[in-house]
Structures are given as structure tokens and as C-alpha cells.
Amino acid sequence: WAFDTLRTLTYGARVHHWSVNGQTVVSPRVQFSAISRRHPNRVFKAAVGLYYQPPFYRELRSTVGERTDPSQPLVQTGVLNPELRAQRSLHFIVGKDITFQQFGRPFKLTTEAYYKYLTDVVPYDVDNVRLRYFARNNATAYAAGLDARISGEFVKGAESWFSLGLLTTRE
């Protein structure tokens, strides 16, 4: 939806039904973008969205008991938990795009900062390179970070880019 030639609102939703546990989820999202009047080569964006991720097969498999000895691995029973719910996250994103000419060719610099709050997370244990999921929605988490990308023809005739991302997460 365009307010005018400088501002737009993009919105939508994804609906998903999972037959294993009968859960239906709706993931709405909205993004607002505005082109700077003073600097028409700059676009500012802000977005928010609710996202659901149904569990994969491995996340459905339960583990037994708590570890009494940290050196001993958890025992995988193979019993599935069909009541497991979709993990969900609330995303907040702000960003800026700048287009410019360099070396006589067009380039674009994109920067974004984001924060994602996650609930109904299915925790897991790491045993060397093996992941063992607990098959329960009993954790919360977050992810926050910054992303930057510059793209263009660094070599004439070949589109390329450099990206840098900084991320922190906690469960």
C-alpha cells in the first residue's frame, strides 16, 4: 500500500495448519519504508512480524531423565511428543538502504538491526556434534544483531558483495 511516492506499507500473513497436533497458526507481518525527501537515494525501513516454526521430526523425539553425571549422555527413547507446539518468535527490524555511484558503477549499502524474542522454544543438549532435543516447549530465547552488506560491480560486469553480520543469542 503506497501512501505516496515516498512511503509504502507492506503487510501480509502466513497461515499454517499442522495435522500432527491440530495446531493452526497465523504469522502476521508488516513493514513500513520511506524514501528520504532530502536524500532520495536513502530508504529507511522498519518491520515487525510474528513467526511460527513447527517442529521437525528430531525435535519431536524425547529424551529420558536428567543427567546426574555430566560426562554421561542423555538417553534418547525415540518416543514422539505429538503435543509439541510450534516455536514462535516476535521480530523487530530497522534498516537503511543507500544507493550510490562508485567507479562509475552503481552500488547499494544495506544495513539492518534486529531483535527477535522467541517463546515456546524446544531446548536441546549438545553432545560433541550430536543434538538431542527435549521435545518440550519449555524455554524462551532471544537473538539480536546487526547486518551490513555492500553490493555492486566491484569488478566491471560481475555483481558481487561484501557482508558483515554480528549476532548474539541466549536461551
Side-chain angles (χ1 to χ4, degrees), residues 63-76 123-134 136 171:
T63 56
V64 169
E66 299 296 322
R67 260 193 249 207
T68 55
D69 180 356
S71 66
Q72 297 300 312
L74 291 171
V75 178
Q76 195 83 24
Y124 59 90
D125 183 52
V126 179
D127 179 19
N128 197 2
V129 295
R130 187 176 194 181
L131 298 179
R132 291 192 169 105
Y133 292 92
F134 297 144
R136 297 186 305 261
E171 182 179 287

Side-chain angles (χ1 to χ4, degrees), residues 12 27 43 73 85 144:
S27 299
V43 179
R85 312 300 283 173

Side-chain angles (χ1 to χ4, degrees), residues 13-82:
R14 181 176 74 178
V15 178
H16 181 268
H17 177 76
W18 196 39
S19 61
V20 173
N21 67 3
Q23 183 182 24
T24 300
V25 294
V26 179
S27 299
R29 58 208 62 186
V30 63
Q31 175 182 298
F32 176 77
S33 65
I35 298 171
S36 170
R37 288 186 194 277
R38 182 182 287 194
H39 303 285
N41 63 329
R42 297 180 185 174
V43 179
F44 298 91
K45 298 183 264 185
V48 64
L50 183 62
Y51 297 84
Y52 287 89
Q53 175 63 54
F56 293 110
Y57 172 75
R58 289 191 53 159
E59 293 165 312
L60 293 170
R61 291 180 60 196
S62 66
T63 56
V64 169
E66 299 296 322
R67 260 193 249 207
T68 55
D69 180 356
S71 66
Q72 297 300 312
L74 291 171
V75 178
Q76 195 83 24
T77 66
V79 175
L80 300 181
N81 178 5

Side-chain angles (χ1 to χ4, degrees), residues 85-104:
R85 312 300 283 173
Q87 299 178 100
R88 71 179 154 201
S89 62
L90 180 59
H91 296 201
F92 300 96
I93 304 168
V94 293
K96 179 178 171 182
D97 294 347
I98 301 173
T99 56
F100 60 95
Q101 292 284 321
Q102 187 69 36
F103 315 118

